[in-house]
Amino acid sequence: QPQSRVITTNHALLELCKLTSDYRPSSGVRQAIVEYLTELIRQNLGHSLEVTSAKWAGHLPGDKARCYSLPLEVQASGPEDMSKFALPYILQTIRENDVDLVSYLETLEGGIPFEYVQIESVDTYDPSDVVEGPTDPPSLTPIEALELVLEEVRTPSVVMMEDEPSGGIPVWGWLLL
């Protein structure tokens, strides 16, 4: 007789340290990390357990300087006797693939904020610690900063020369920053 499948909600915490300055990942970067971890867990979880969903759980208070806590909520489905092992398997998978994860992080945002990133810990968290409400705005990413500079460079400024003789054609100058 086949065992019934049970869905468990598992709370895994990934703590990233040595990020550039006060960098905080944008929602897009956070989502990319969650998707990478989800696929990593799916590939390594085995045939008995299956990831049904994974998401960023929210903010946890008390991030250390140059560190970022990424709480994940991972739902796994499997036979009842195996489901109790889902969380240890998920944590083990992330820990055993830390080098690949760091390599992936270094490709995000042009690599600059994650240049020296280290995985401080992979652990569990209490879901009641997650802060509800407004989220911290992400720091300006290096890519966004570069886009702002390039936008200024591409926007020419028009200057009228004051010393033009009256009645003449004004001289226009395009200044590039």
Short mmCIF file of all heavy atoms in Angstrom, two decimals, residues 129-169:
data_model
loop_
_atom_site.label_atom_id
_atom_site.label_comp_id
_atom_site.label_asym_id
_atom_site.label_seq_id
_atom_site.Cartn_x
_atom_site.Cartn_y
_atom_site.Cartn_z
N ASP A 129 9.72 35.49 13.94
CA ASP A 129 10.70 36.57 13.94
C ASP A 129 10.66 37.42 12.68
O ASP A 129 11.26 38.50 12.63
CB ASP A 129 12.14 36.02 14.11
CG ASP A 129 12.37 35.45 15.50
OD1 ASP A 129 11.62 35.81 16.43
OD2 ASP A 129 13.30 34.63 15.63
N VAL A 130 9.99 36.93 11.65
CA VAL A 130 9.93 37.66 10.38
C VAL A 130 9.14 38.95 10.59
O VAL A 130 8.06 38.95 11.19
CB VAL A 130 9.28 36.81 9.27
CG1 VAL A 130 9.06 37.61 8.01
CG2 VAL A 130 10.16 35.60 8.99
N VAL A 131 9.69 40.05 10.11
CA VAL A 131 9.08 41.36 10.27
C VAL A 131 8.09 41.59 9.13
O VAL A 131 8.45 41.48 7.96
CB VAL A 131 10.15 42.48 10.26
CG1 VAL A 131 9.50 43.84 10.36
CG2 VAL A 131 11.13 42.26 11.38
N GLU A 132 6.86 41.90 9.48
CA GLU A 132 5.85 42.22 8.48
C GLU A 132 5.90 43.72 8.20
O GLU A 132 6.44 44.49 8.97
CB GLU A 132 4.46 41.83 9.00
CG GLU A 132 4.30 40.35 9.25
CD GLU A 132 4.38 39.51 7.99
OE1 GLU A 132 3.94 39.98 6.93
OE2 GLU A 132 4.88 38.38 8.07
N GLY A 133 5.25 44.13 7.14
CA GLY A 133 5.14 45.55 6.85
C GLY A 133 6.11 45.99 5.79
O GLY A 133 6.61 45.17 5.01
N PRO A 134 6.42 47.30 5.77
CA PRO A 134 7.27 47.82 4.71
C PRO A 134 8.65 47.18 4.73
O PRO A 134 9.17 46.85 5.79
CB PRO A 134 7.35 49.32 4.99
CG PRO A 134 6.76 49.53 6.33
CD PRO A 134 6.03 48.28 6.74
N THR A 135 9.19 47.02 3.57
CA THR A 135 10.51 46.41 3.47
C THR A 135 11.58 47.47 3.35
O THR A 135 11.30 48.60 2.95
CB THR A 135 10.59 45.49 2.23
OG1 THR A 135 10.33 46.28 1.08
CG2 THR A 135 9.58 44.36 2.33
N ASP A 136 12.78 47.12 3.70
CA ASP A 136 13.89 48.06 3.54
C ASP A 136 14.08 48.31 2.06
O ASP A 136 14.08 47.37 1.27
CB ASP A 136 15.20 47.47 4.08
CG ASP A 136 15.15 47.25 5.57
OD1 ASP A 136 14.40 47.96 6.24
OD2 ASP A 136 15.87 46.35 6.05
N PRO A 137 14.27 49.56 1.67
CA PRO A 137 14.55 49.80 0.26
C PRO A 137 15.93 49.25 -0.07
O PRO A 137 16.83 49.34 0.75
CB PRO A 137 14.53 51.32 0.13
CG PRO A 137 14.79 51.83 1.51
CD PRO A 137 14.27 50.78 2.46
N PRO A 138 16.09 48.64 -1.24
CA PRO A 138 17.42 48.15 -1.59
C PRO A 138 18.37 49.32 -1.78
O PRO A 138 17.94 50.42 -2.13
CB PRO A 138 17.20 47.40 -2.91
CG PRO A 138 15.95 47.98 -3.46
CD PRO A 138 15.12 48.42 -2.29
N SER A 139 19.63 49.08 -1.52
CA SER A 139 20.60 50.12 -1.78
C SER A 139 20.71 50.31 -3.29
O SER A 139 20.31 49.45 -4.07
CB SER A 139 21.96 49.73 -1.19
OG SER A 139 22.41 48.54 -1.80
N LEU A 140 21.22 51.44 -3.69
CA LEU A 140 21.41 51.68 -5.11
C LEU A 140 22.47 50.71 -5.60
O LEU A 140 23.58 50.68 -5.10
CB LEU A 140 21.86 53.12 -5.34
CG LEU A 140 21.98 53.57 -6.78
CD1 LEU A 140 20.60 53.53 -7.45
CD2 LEU A 140 22.53 54.98 -6.85
N THR A 141 22.10 49.89 -6.54
CA THR A 141 23.04 48.89 -7.02
C THR A 141 24.07 49.56 -7.92
O THR A 141 23.81 50.61 -8.50
CB THR A 141 22.33 47.79 -7.82
OG1 THR A 141 21.77 48.37 -8.99
CG2 THR A 141 21.24 47.12 -7.00
N PRO A 142 25.24 48.96 -8.07
CA PRO A 142 26.25 49.53 -8.97
C PRO A 142 25.72 49.68 -10.39
O PRO A 142 26.06 50.64 -11.08
CB PRO A 142 27.39 48.50 -8.91
CG PRO A 142 27.21 47.82 -7.60
CD PRO A 142 25.74 47.80 -7.36
N ILE A 143 24.88 48.77 -10.84
CA ILE A 143 24.33 48.86 -12.20
C ILE A 143 23.44 50.09 -12.31
O ILE A 143 23.52 50.85 -13.28
CB ILE A 143 23.54 47.58 -12.56
CG1 ILE A 143 24.45 46.35 -12.51
CG2 ILE A 143 22.85 47.71 -13.90
CD1 ILE A 143 25.63 46.39 -13.44
N GLU A 144 22.58 50.32 -11.30
CA GLU A 144 21.71 51.49 -11.32
C GLU A 144 22.53 52.78 -11.27
O GLU A 144 22.22 53.74 -11.95
CB GLU A 144 20.73 51.45 -10.14
CG GLU A 144 19.69 50.36 -10.27
CD GLU A 144 18.92 50.15 -8.98
OE1 GLU A 144 19.46 50.41 -7.89
OE2 GLU A 144 17.77 49.70 -9.08
N ALA A 145 23.58 52.78 -10.46
CA ALA A 145 24.42 53.97 -10.37
C ALA A 145 25.08 54.25 -11.71
O ALA A 145 25.14 55.40 -12.16
CB ALA A 145 25.49 53.78 -9.28
N LEU A 146 25.56 53.20 -12.38
CA LEU A 146 26.18 53.36 -13.69
C LEU A 146 25.15 53.88 -14.70
O LEU A 146 25.46 54.76 -15.51
CB LEU A 146 26.77 52.04 -14.16
CG LEU A 146 27.45 52.05 -15.53
CD1 LEU A 146 28.62 53.03 -15.54
CD2 LEU A 146 27.92 50.66 -15.90
N GLU A 147 23.93 53.36 -14.64
CA GLU A 147 22.89 53.82 -15.56
C GLU A 147 22.59 55.30 -15.35
O GLU A 147 22.37 56.03 -16.31
CB GLU A 147 21.61 52.99 -15.39
CG GLU A 147 21.74 51.59 -15.96
CD GLU A 147 20.55 50.69 -15.63
OE1 GLU A 147 19.71 51.09 -14.79
OE2 GLU A 147 20.50 49.60 -16.21
N LEU A 148 22.59 55.77 -14.09
CA LEU A 148 22.36 57.19 -13.83
C LEU A 148 23.47 58.04 -14.43
O LEU A 148 23.21 59.07 -15.04
CB LEU A 148 22.28 57.44 -12.32
CG LEU A 148 20.99 57.02 -11.63
CD1 LEU A 148 21.11 57.21 -10.13
CD2 LEU A 148 19.81 57.81 -12.17
N VAL A 149 24.71 57.60 -14.28
CA VAL A 149 25.84 58.34 -14.85
C VAL A 149 25.73 58.36 -16.36
O VAL A 149 25.90 59.41 -16.99
CB VAL A 149 27.19 57.73 -14.40
CG1 VAL A 149 28.34 58.31 -15.17
CG2 VAL A 149 27.37 57.94 -12.90
N LEU A 150 25.44 57.21 -16.96
CA LEU A 150 25.32 57.15 -18.42
C LEU A 150 24.17 58.02 -18.92
O LEU A 150 24.28 58.64 -19.97
CB LEU A 150 25.14 55.71 -18.89
CG LEU A 150 26.36 54.81 -18.73
CD1 LEU A 150 26.01 53.38 -19.13
CD2 LEU A 150 27.52 55.33 -19.56
N GLU A 151 23.08 58.08 -18.19
CA GLU A 151 21.94 58.91 -18.58
C GLU A 151 22.36 60.39 -18.60
O GLU A 151 22.02 61.13 -19.49
CB GLU A 151 20.77 58.70 -17.63
CG GLU A 151 19.52 59.44 -18.03
CD GLU A 151 18.97 59.01 -19.38
OE1 GLU A 151 19.10 57.83 -19.75
OE2 GLU A 151 18.44 59.88 -20.08
N GLU A 152 23.15 60.78 -17.60
CA GLU A 152 23.63 62.16 -17.56
C GLU A 152 24.56 62.43 -18.74
O GLU A 152 24.52 63.51 -19.33
CB GLU A 152 24.36 62.44 -16.25
CG GLU A 152 23.43 62.52 -15.06
CD GLU A 152 24.18 62.75 -13.77
OE1 GLU A 152 25.34 63.19 -13.82
OE2 GLU A 152 23.60 62.49 -12.70
N VAL A 153 25.38 61.46 -19.10
CA VAL A 153 26.30 61.63 -20.22
C VAL A 153 25.54 61.74 -21.53
O VAL A 153 25.87 62.54 -22.40
CB VAL A 153 27.31 60.45 -20.28
CG1 VAL A 153 28.09 60.46 -21.57
CG2 VAL A 153 28.24 60.51 -19.09
N ARG A 154 24.49 60.95 -21.67
CA ARG A 154 23.72 60.95 -22.91
C ARG A 154 22.82 62.16 -23.07
O ARG A 154 22.34 62.43 -24.14
CB ARG A 154 22.85 59.69 -22.99
CG ARG A 154 23.64 58.47 -23.32
CD ARG A 154 22.72 57.29 -23.54
NE ARG A 154 23.25 56.21 -22.75
CZ ARG A 154 22.60 55.49 -21.87
NH1 ARG A 154 21.33 55.65 -21.69
NH2 ARG A 154 23.19 54.56 -21.19
N THR A 155 22.55 62.87 -21.98
CA THR A 155 21.65 64.02 -22.04
C THR A 155 22.47 65.28 -22.28
O THR A 155 23.14 65.77 -21.37
CB THR A 155 20.86 64.16 -20.72
OG1 THR A 155 20.25 62.92 -20.42
CG2 THR A 155 19.82 65.26 -20.82
N PRO A 156 22.46 65.81 -23.51
CA PRO A 156 23.26 67.00 -23.78
C PRO A 156 22.64 68.23 -23.12
O PRO A 156 21.43 68.32 -22.95
CB PRO A 156 23.23 67.13 -25.30
CG PRO A 156 21.99 66.41 -25.70
CD PRO A 156 21.74 65.36 -24.67
N SER A 157 23.50 69.16 -22.74
CA SER A 157 23.04 70.42 -22.18
C SER A 157 23.21 71.49 -23.25
O SER A 157 24.24 71.55 -23.92
CB SER A 157 23.87 70.80 -20.95
OG SER A 157 23.73 69.82 -19.97
N VAL A 158 22.22 72.35 -23.38
CA VAL A 158 22.28 73.43 -24.38
C VAL A 158 22.62 74.71 -23.64
O VAL A 158 21.99 75.07 -22.66
CB VAL A 158 20.92 73.57 -25.11
CG1 VAL A 158 20.98 74.71 -26.10
CG2 VAL A 158 20.55 72.27 -25.78
N VAL A 159 23.65 75.41 -24.13
CA VAL A 159 24.07 76.66 -23.50
C VAL A 159 24.07 77.75 -24.56
O VAL A 159 24.61 77.57 -25.65
CB VAL A 159 25.50 76.52 -22.91
CG1 VAL A 159 25.97 77.82 -22.32
CG2 VAL A 159 25.54 75.40 -21.90
N MET A 160 23.46 78.91 -24.24
CA MET A 160 23.47 80.04 -25.17
C MET A 160 24.58 80.97 -24.74
O MET A 160 24.70 81.31 -23.57
CB MET A 160 22.12 80.76 -25.11
CG MET A 160 21.98 81.83 -26.13
SD MET A 160 20.27 82.31 -26.17
CE MET A 160 20.42 83.78 -27.10
N MET A 161 25.40 81.33 -25.69
CA MET A 161 26.53 82.20 -25.39
C MET A 161 26.01 83.63 -25.19
O MET A 161 25.27 84.14 -26.01
CB MET A 161 27.56 82.18 -26.51
CG MET A 161 28.08 80.77 -26.83
SD MET A 161 28.89 80.00 -25.45
CE MET A 161 30.46 80.79 -25.53
N GLU A 162 26.41 84.27 -24.10
CA GLU A 162 25.95 85.61 -23.76
C GLU A 162 26.63 86.70 -24.59
O GLU A 162 26.09 87.76 -24.77
CB GLU A 162 26.21 85.88 -22.26
CG GLU A 162 25.38 85.02 -21.34
CD GLU A 162 23.90 85.34 -21.42
OE1 GLU A 162 23.52 86.50 -21.67
OE2 GLU A 162 23.09 84.39 -21.26
N ASP A 163 27.82 86.45 -25.08
CA ASP A 163 28.55 87.51 -25.75
C ASP A 163 28.28 87.56 -27.26
O ASP A 163 29.08 88.07 -28.02
CB ASP A 163 30.06 87.36 -25.48
CG ASP A 163 30.58 86.02 -25.95
OD1 ASP A 163 29.79 85.06 -26.04
OD2 ASP A 163 31.78 85.93 -26.20
N GLU A 164 27.13 87.08 -27.70
CA GLU A 164 26.75 87.15 -29.11
C GLU A 164 26.37 88.57 -29.47
O GLU A 164 25.68 89.24 -28.73
CB GLU A 164 25.51 86.28 -29.31
CG GLU A 164 25.64 84.97 -30.04
CD GLU A 164 26.72 84.84 -31.04
OE1 GLU A 164 26.61 85.40 -32.14
OE2 GLU A 164 27.69 84.15 -30.74
N PRO A 165 26.79 89.06 -30.62
CA PRO A 165 26.34 90.39 -31.04
C PRO A 165 24.83 90.34 -31.30
O PRO A 165 24.32 89.35 -31.79
CB PRO A 165 27.10 90.67 -32.33
CG PRO A 165 27.82 89.41 -32.68
CD PRO A 165 27.71 88.47 -31.54
N SER A 166 24.13 91.42 -30.92
CA SER A 166 22.69 91.43 -31.11
C SER A 166 22.36 91.34 -32.59
O SER A 166 23.07 91.87 -33.44
CB SER A 166 22.07 92.69 -30.50
OG SER A 166 22.64 93.84 -31.11
N GLY A 167 21.30 90.66 -32.90
CA GLY A 167 20.89 90.49 -34.29
C GLY A 167 21.57 89.33 -34.96
O GLY A 167 21.18 88.94 -36.05
N GLY A 168 22.59 88.77 -34.36
CA GLY A 168 23.29 87.64 -34.97
C GLY A 168 22.61 86.33 -34.63
O GLY A 168 21.67 86.27 -33.85
N ILE A 169 23.10 85.29 -35.20
CA ILE A 169 22.58 83.95 -34.91
C ILE A 169 23.24 83.48 -33.62
O ILE A 169 24.46 83.53 -33.51
CB ILE A 169 22.88 82.99 -36.07
CG1 ILE A 169 22.22 83.50 -37.33
CG2 ILE A 169 22.44 81.58 -35.72
CD1 ILE A 169 22.58 82.71 -38.56
#
